[in-house]
């Protein structure tokens, strides 16, 4: 019955003061909304209420269990994986959250990325979210099924040299892209095709396109003053040595796979 939110979720509303950890009266006025519409902002590890008797019956738990405020799934992933300053956390799923951890507020000079509080006080992350990474992977696998090749995506993609012999993939299959581009008009494309190219070229280009989009985000973080020396990944792709090596080659950074399948769930 408690109406509350945490700083990381609040920061996504567009009317939140990052430095003061409160709803900003001037932002609310500009947006034409009242501050009274928004819930209280509590620390992520604060007990915001206790499980009601009605909810306890549904969940088969004990009434009165403390409920903490928690945080957004991306920052929960950073917390769960124990990511330290200088490390970029990439949470790969149907989309990918990319967060660079910092001990200070880093603001993008060109407004390409956003800054969010993490779960612990006085810790922050710069964040960019790619909208269609796992979506692109699944789309490429459907191409293979249509072709009836019988081989897997990685097996086919690994037959081709780096660079896909000039084939480029723009991974905007969700219709538009957030990341650091913020352009809802973008759509996916495969460019550079000639008669010498085949399905494996396109498949490798799909993987390379996702990795280059990740690099675009990391480069924007660094341009804004955030240290990005290594990458820690979580998600299904971490079980794929070929993809992890591709990400390391393209990013020019050490890429490690987290032991946990879902950093966000652990957080």
């Amino acid at each position: 019955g408690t109406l509350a939110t945490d700083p990381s979720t609040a920061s996504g509303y567009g009317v939140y003061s990052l430095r003061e950890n409160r709803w900003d009266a001037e932002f609310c006025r500009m947006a034409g909304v009242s501050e009274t519409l928004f819930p209280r902002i509590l620390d992520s590890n604060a007990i915001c209420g206790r499980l009601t008797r009605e909810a306890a019956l549904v969940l088969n738990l004990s009434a009165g269990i403390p409920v903490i405020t928690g945080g957004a799934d991306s920052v929960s992933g950073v917390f769960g994986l124990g990511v330290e300053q200088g490390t970029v956390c990439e949470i790969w799923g149907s989309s990918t959250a990319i967060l660079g951890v910092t001990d200070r507020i880093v603001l993008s000079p060109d407004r390409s990325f956003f800054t969010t509080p993490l779960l612990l006080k006085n810790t922050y992350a710069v964040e960019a979210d790619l909208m269609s990474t796992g979506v692109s992977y699944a789309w490429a696998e459907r191409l293979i099924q249509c072709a009836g090749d019988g081989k897997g995506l990685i097996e086919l993609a690994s037959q081709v040299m780096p660079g896909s012999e000039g084939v480029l993939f723009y991974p905007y299959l969700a219709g538009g892209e957030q990341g650091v581009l913020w352009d809802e008009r973008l759509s996916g494309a495969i460019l550079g095709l000639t008669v010498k190219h085949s399905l494996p070229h396109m498949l490798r280009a799909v993987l390379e396109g996702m990795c280059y989009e990740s690099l675009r985000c990391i480069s924007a973080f660094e341009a804004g003053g955030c240290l990005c020396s290594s990458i820690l990944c979580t998600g299904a792709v971490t079980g794929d040595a070929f993809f992890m090596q591709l990400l390391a080659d393209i990013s020019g950074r050490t890429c490690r796979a987290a032991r946990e399948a879902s950093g966000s769930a652990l957080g």
Side-chain angles (χ1 to χ4, degrees), residues 95-108:
S95 59
T96 297
I98 302 176
L99 299 97
V101 177
T102 173
D103 61 357
R104 60 189 177 89
I105 295 175
V106 175
L107 300 180
S108 172

Side-chain angles (χ1 to χ4, degrees), residues 40-88:
R40 288 188 300 157
I41 301 173
L42 302 177
D43 289 342
S44 291
N45 60 357
I47 296 175
C48 63
R50 295 184 179 272
L51 196 64
T52 64
R53 187 176 303 278
E54 294 79 11
L57 289 172
V58 174
L59 297 171
N60 196 29
L61 295 171
S62 300
I65 291 176
V67 179
I68 67 166
T69 319
D73 55 355
S74 57
V75 303
S76 295
V78 172
F79 180 75
L81 297 175
V83 182
E84 299 178 347
Q85 184 176 357
T87 300
V88 175

Side-chain angles (χ1 to χ4, degrees), residues 138 140-151 199:
E141 287 188 322
R142 291 199 298 273
L143 289 183
I144 299 171
Q145 293 172 2
C146 292
D149 194 285
K151 297 179 180 178
L199 182 60

